[in-house]
Amino acid sequence: KAGVTQTPRYLIKTRGQQVTLSCSPISGHRSVSWYQQTPGQGLQFLFEYFSETQRNKGNFPGRFSGRQFSNSRSEMNVSTLELGDSALYLCASSLTIGTGVEAFFGQGTRLTVV
Amino acid sequence: GESVGLHLPTLSVQEGDNSIINCAYSNSASDYFIWYKQESGKGPQFIIDIRSNMDKRQGQRVTVLLNKTVKHLSLQIAATQPGDSAVYFCAESPTSGTYKYIFGTGTRLKVLA
């Protein structure tokens, strides 16, 4: 079966712009989580969606937002981009929500802010 | 895309030797732990998991050990192969009932031929 698909793979944006990233989870999976990966901070949790509702949120400013659609696909949006937002953004899908549930990651979207 | 950058601890092992990668986790209430492998240009890949009611779990060539007393997790890879070269992350899942992983900083494993 197809894995987690993230689009686009690479993006270059200018400071102050906004960006939308997309994630299609594995078929049948209803939970989608987003992570930011940087050399300085490692992998950090952004937020998690399940059944179109945000269930948990990490410690990121309000410029970072997301949503989930009825087909479980998810998007995340970053507004007023800053240079420090340059990172690899990873999406993970799981069958359901809760602890002890395996997460499958996509290949990520590499965002560069110039 | 590289997984993490300049200051990752690195473990170098000879091909065929066993590797042990260690991780200290932060939350004593975490009840589920996972090891992920991340190769260059790829997302993290699940290796093995363990729940807090266990102290050891074995997979194919891999073993995870959990010491809750000192909040320590380790990953043992038997007969390390060149394809094992990657960055390895441990992740803990708190018992909050919401799905959220806290990742360790990662260890780069280099397999020497």
Side-chain angles (χ1 to χ4, degrees):
Chain A
K1 61 182 175 184
V4 178
T5 303
Q6 290 188 246
T7 57
R9 288 292 311 278
Y10 302 94
L11 264 180
I12 299 176
K13 289 286 188 178
T14 304
R15 201 169 35 175
Q17 287 186 312
Q18 74 163 15
V19 67
T20 299
L21 313 181
S22 179
C23 173
S24 293
I26 293 170
S27 177
H29 284 198
R30 296 171 61 197
S31 168
V32 173
S33 299
W34 288 89
Y35 295 82
Q36 182 196 65
Q37 187 173 33
T38 60
Q41 299 297 320
L43 269 157
Q44 291 191 293
F45 172 77
L46 279 156
F47 27 66
E48 177 191 14
Y49 285 88
F50 180 77
S51 293
E52 302 176 65
T53 303
Q54 187 179 89
R55 300 302 178 117
N56 206 355
K57 192 175 191 303
N59 296 323
F60 279 82
R63 301 185 296 107
F64 292 81
S65 62
R67 59 178 175 168
Q68 187 181 34
F69 302 95
S70 58
N71 61 358
S72 294
R73 190 178 70 85
S74 177
E75 289 180 346
M76 68 163 280
N77 184 276
V78 187
S79 62
T80 320
L81 283 165
E82 301 177 0
L83 296 179
D85 297 332
S86 295
L88 181 67
Y89 289 89
L90 290 159
C91 162
S93 87
S94 290
L95 198 57
T96 186
I97 199 170
T99 63
V101 180
E102 186 180 340
F104 298 87
F105 282 85
Q107 296 211 65
T109 293
R110 169 72 60 188
L111 172 65
T112 302
V113 182
V114 297
Chain B
E2 73 282 2
S3 52
V4 287
L6 306 173
H7 301 294
L8 270 185
T10 299
L11 174 67
S12 297
V13 298
Q14 288 293 136
E15 181 179 355
D17 287 352
N18 296 335
S19 303
I20 300 177
I21 301 171
N22 296 304
C23 173
Y25 63 92
S26 59
N27 191 333
S28 57
S30 292
D31 69 346
Y32 179 64
F33 305 87
I34 303 179
W35 279 100
Y36 282 95
K37 170 187 180 183
Q38 189 173 24
E39 296 173 283
S40 182
K42 297 184 179 180
Q45 176 188 359
F46 174 92
I47 301 173
I48 191 167
D49 59 0
I50 188 168
R51 296 185 187 277
S52 60
N53 61 352
M54 304 171 69
D55 53 22
K56 180 180 180 179
R57 189 161 188 231
Q58 289 184 290
Q60 187 177 15
R61 280 202 310 121
V62 294
T63 300
V64 55
L65 299 177
L66 174 63
N67 185 331
K68 294 182 288 293
T69 303
V70 295
K71 293 191 289 185
H72 184 267
L73 201 62
S74 69
L75 176 70
Q76 300 177 0
I77 304 174
T80 312
Q81 301 169 359
D84 295 327
S85 292
V87 177
Y88 290 80
F89 294 96
C90 67
E92 58 180 301
S93 182
T95 55
S96 62
T98 57
Y99 176 78
K100 171 180 175 178
Y101 288 144
I102 302 170
F103 281 83
T105 53
T107 297
R108 188 181 303 279
L109 176 65
K110 289 187 177 179
V111 181
L112 308 173

